[in-house]
Amino acid sequence: MGISIRAYARHRGVSDKAVRKAIQTGRIAKAVLTDKSIDSSLADRLWEANTDPVQRRGKEADRALQS
């Protein structure tokens, strides 16, 4: 069992809308479990691999610069 979309959004420092969009566009869809919760460790890896650094804002942009 994973965490909710809202909990994952807080974990990432983004809005729940951003998480929903990432799921809908397929960037982190593989991290959604059968109970609709999110495997946060897999989602983190997918988010980093599938998100264009230029498109990141706020805490996400700061995190990308530190990598």
Side-chain angles (χ1 to χ4, degrees):
M1 188 159 142
I3 61 175
S4 70
I5 289 174
R6 287 184 179 163
Y8 184 68
R10 281 191 301 274
H11 165 75
R12 291 295 305 175
V14 299
S15 69
D16 60 315
K17 183 177 178 180
V19 174
R20 289 184 200 329
K21 184 176 178 182
I23 293 167
Q24 290 173 345
T25 60
R27 286 188 294 143
I28 64 167
K30 292 179 183 177
V32 177
L33 304 173
T34 56
D35 65 354
K36 305 293 186 208
S37 64
I38 297 174
D39 176 340
S40 62
S41 61
L42 176 57
D44 284 345
R45 290 191 304 274
L46 292 170
W47 193 290
E48 293 300 323
N50 297 324
T51 302
D52 182 359
V54 175
Q55 299 296 319
R56 296 178 186 196
R57 293 172 183 80
K59 291 179 185 176
E60 275 295 302
D62 295 340
R63 187 177 295 138
L65 291 174
Q66 292 173 358
S67 299

